[in-house]
Amino acid sequence: MNEASSVRIHPTADVSPEAVIGTGTSIWNQAQIRERARIGSDCVIGKNVYVDFDVVVGNRVKIQNNASLFHGVTVEDGVFIGPHVCLTNDRLPRAVTPEGDLKTDDDWEVGPIRIRTGASVGAASVVVPGVTVGRWALVGAGSVVTRDVADYSLVVGNPARPIGHACPCGEPLRDAADGSSFRGPCPNCGRPFPPDAEAE
Ligand SMILES: CC(C)(COP(=O)(O)OP(=O)(O)OC[C@H]1O[C@@H](n2cnc3c(N)ncnc32)[C@H](O)[C@@H]1OP(=O)(O)O)[C@@H](O)C(=O)NCCC(=O)NCCS
Ligand SMILES: [Zn+2]
């Protein structure tokens, strides 16, 4: 059931009556929101997005066109999910058993994914099952994320590796060759980094 009439759902979207959608959220063309999915307030769910059953999405989350969030995914507040991102859930996928029978929902284990507050997942990235992307981390476009990503970390590539940090404003923060030792105010917004350090 939707919580309020301020929810905007495009007529071509397919939103399960068992899904819960928070106030101020917009759901665009052909998006599919499955049964018992819970989407918070003031979110934007783009064209052709797939949100699987029981997926939890926080408040003020942006999910861009064609992203897929499979069963077992949790997305916290303020997260950005880029276009064509795939948040997976089956680490060792098989369509059939060794005997050739079609597998069912009971034949495999869900590998949960959590994307923490403020984090961004760049366009067309894939996150493999069991991974947590930390608070305000930034995953570069086209990455394959195979390991947990630390808070504020900036990672790129396949497999995704840290190349520095990211400020909550989005600015990459890097001054050593390995990107690990940035300290001081963000050149873009002036916030201190690490966040609990005083600005220098
Ligand atoms: C990662 C990102 C934030 C750039 O960070 P940056 O610190 O400005 O990085 P730079 O452009 O200085 O590149 C640093 C290095 O990382 C590499 N790099 C940058 N982005 C990369 C990516 N997505 N994948 C792989 N390598 C990448 C660069 O080639 C460069 O390598 P080099 O040092 O060997 O030359 C940016 O490239 C990115 O991917 N942003 C996400 C865009 C996106 O998906 N938006 C979604 C909405 S459309
Ligand atoms: Zn900043």
Side-chain angles (χ1 to χ4, degrees), residues 81-163:
I81 305 287
H84 297 269
V85 162
C86 188
L87 304 182
T88 62
N89 65 3
D90 187 359
R91 199 172 76 84
L92 302 171
R94 292 287 199 212
V96 292
T97 65
E99 294 69 40
D101 298 319
L102 189 65
K103 287 176 83 169
T104 70
D105 280 356
D106 298 331
D107 290 332
W108 60 282
E109 241 177 74
V110 174
I113 286 176
R114 177 173 288 264
I115 314 293
R116 305 220 50 196
T117 300
S120 299
V121 182
S125 293
V126 175
V127 181
V128 303
V131 164
T132 294
V133 174
R135 292 185 207 89
W136 299 105
L138 204 160
V139 175
S143 302
V144 178
V145 185
T146 60
R147 298 276 181 265
D148 288 354
V149 176
D151 292 352
Y152 302 96
S153 189
L154 170 60
V155 300
V156 297
N158 178 5
R161 303 275 191 218
I163 62 164

Side-chain angles (χ1 to χ4, degrees), residues 167-171 186 188-191:
C167 182
C169 77
E171 183 73 9
C186 167
N188 182 52
C189 72
R191 276 184 185 77

